[in-house]
Amino acid sequence: MTKCKLVLLRHGEGAWNKENRFCSWVDQKLSSDGIKEARNCGKHLKALGFQFDHVFTSILSRSIQTAWLVLEEMGQEWVPTQSSWRLNERHYGALIGLNRAEMALNHGEEQVKIWRRSYDVTPPPITASHPYYKEIYNDRRYKCCDVSQDKLPKAESLKEVLERLLPYWNEKIAPELKSGKMVLISAHGNSTRALLKHLEEGILRCCNYITLITQGCLKCLDERLESGSKGVLKPAG
């Protein structure tokens, strides 16, 4: 049976990743280390002979920038790229901007673990008084979504990430794979984790503990887009 391939990629490091803060829907570009990670990933994918037909990203800069750098290193800048809010990182609500270590001191490590890693527990929602509320919801990119701004999430569980991601997967990404195209998704830790939950029945109960290596995760899917082999694309060098 013919196999179609999907490469899932978590973006390179941003400043808030290094500071251990919840970045979520706050838009940040890659750090200098994140740029190196993305370029190294592109070199590695090129060495492995990958030739992408379509690229999908979130509408957050760190996801888009990662895809650009990867394609540049591969000499495939011309590959069509499409961006959607439905591939955004999980919306962490009121936790956005907070330092995880400080939160553990204030709320306890167990509560922070529940907020971060549980499948169906939603953190407290962001409100208009939050310091990053206006920065997020006044951003012009969210006026171009396929839902009205008042329908955009104010906080999400991993379950809710999957629910908002699936329509995009079914309508935009899956048809490309079914037609035999090789697809790269440059997204975020939780949106890729949610998609892996959908694709892999065998890890349904433990998917909330998957952590993807920045350089990528290769999924081989059959024509029905059912999960086949999986491999981690390790960095070169």
Side-chain angles (χ1 to χ4, degrees):
M1 182 177 290
T2 302
K3 292 284 184 178
C4 45
K5 289 188 174 69
L6 166 67
V7 174
L8 302 173
L9 180 65
R10 186 234 185 222
H11 64 80
E13 180 194 72
W16 280 16
N17 296 132
K18 183 175 290 188
E19 296 171 10
N20 203 26
R21 298 168 69 189
F22 286 99
C23 191
S24 187
W25 281 31
V26 173
D27 193 53
Q28 290 200 335
K29 297 188 183 298
L30 300 180
S31 66
S32 58
D33 286 342
I35 291 172
K36 292 176 184 177
E37 289 171 351
R39 289 198 179 280
N40 286 339
C41 179
K43 292 174 183 176
H44 189 48
L45 288 169
K46 181 179 181 179
L48 291 173
F50 281 90
Q51 294 183 337
F52 294 112
D53 299 300
H54 209 123
V55 179
F56 294 91
T57 76
S58 77
I59 58 174
L60 294 166
S61 295
R62 56 194 186 273
S63 162
I64 298 168
Q65 190 180 8
T66 296
W68 284 351
L69 292 168
V70 167
L71 293 175
E72 182 181 9
E73 289 296 331
M74 298 179 74
Q76 297 181 34
E77 298 97 323
W78 56 269
V79 174
T81 301
Q82 188 171 343
S83 302
S84 172
W85 74 274
R86 292 185 181 274
L87 291 174
N88 272 18
E89 177 58 289
R90 176 183 173 189
H91 197 308
Y92 272 106
L95 308 185
I96 290 175
L98 300 180
N99 178 279
R100 296 185 180 105
E102 292 175 356
M103 284 184 59
L105 291 176
N106 294 330
H107 300 282
E109 290 186 8
E110 187 60 31
Q111 180 60 65
V112 175
K113 183 179 179 181
I114 290 171
W115 280 331
R116 291 189 63 206
R117 295 301 190 186
S118 61
Y119 177 59
D120 56 3
V121 175
T122 305
I126 193 170
T127 64
S129 62
H130 191 283
Y132 291 99
Y133 183 91
K134 290 182 179 180
E135 179 175 331
I136 294 171
Y137 293 99
N138 288 345
D139 194 313
R140 190 165 65 93
R141 76 192 71 198
Y142 294 110
K143 294 181 172 68
C144 305
C145 296
D146 59 358
V147 298
S148 59
Q149 281 186 290
D150 63 317
K151 299 294 185 183
L152 292 171
K154 299 297 189 294
E156 292 176 306
S157 64
L158 189 64
K159 179 175 182 287
E160 290 165 322
V161 173
L162 180 57
E163 288 171 352
R164 54 103 154 152
L165 188 156
L166 278 180
Y168 191 71
W169 167 263
N170 291 327
E171 296 170 16
K172 300 294 184 180
I173 303 175
E176 294 290 324
L177 290 164
K178 287 179 179 178
S179 70
K181 303 291 180 61
M182 181 172 284
V183 171
L184 169 67
I185 298 178
S186 173
H188 305 266
N190 283 293
S191 50
T192 49
R193 190 175 291 120
L195 184 55
L196 278 173
K197 172 177 174 57
H198 176 64
L199 296 175
E200 293 193 40
E201 292 183 0
I203 59 169
L204 287 179
R205 285 172 292 181
C206 63
C207 72
N208 48 337
Y209 292 101
I210 292 173
T211 300
L212 297 179
I213 293 177
T214 300
Q215 275 67 25
C217 176
L218 172 66
K219 288 295 302 174
C220 295
L221 308 171
D222 66 24
E223 290 169 340
R224 294 168 296 176
L225 298 192
E226 293 180 348
S227 182
S229 61
K230 180 182 77 172
V232 175
L233 303 179
K234 296 182 179 179

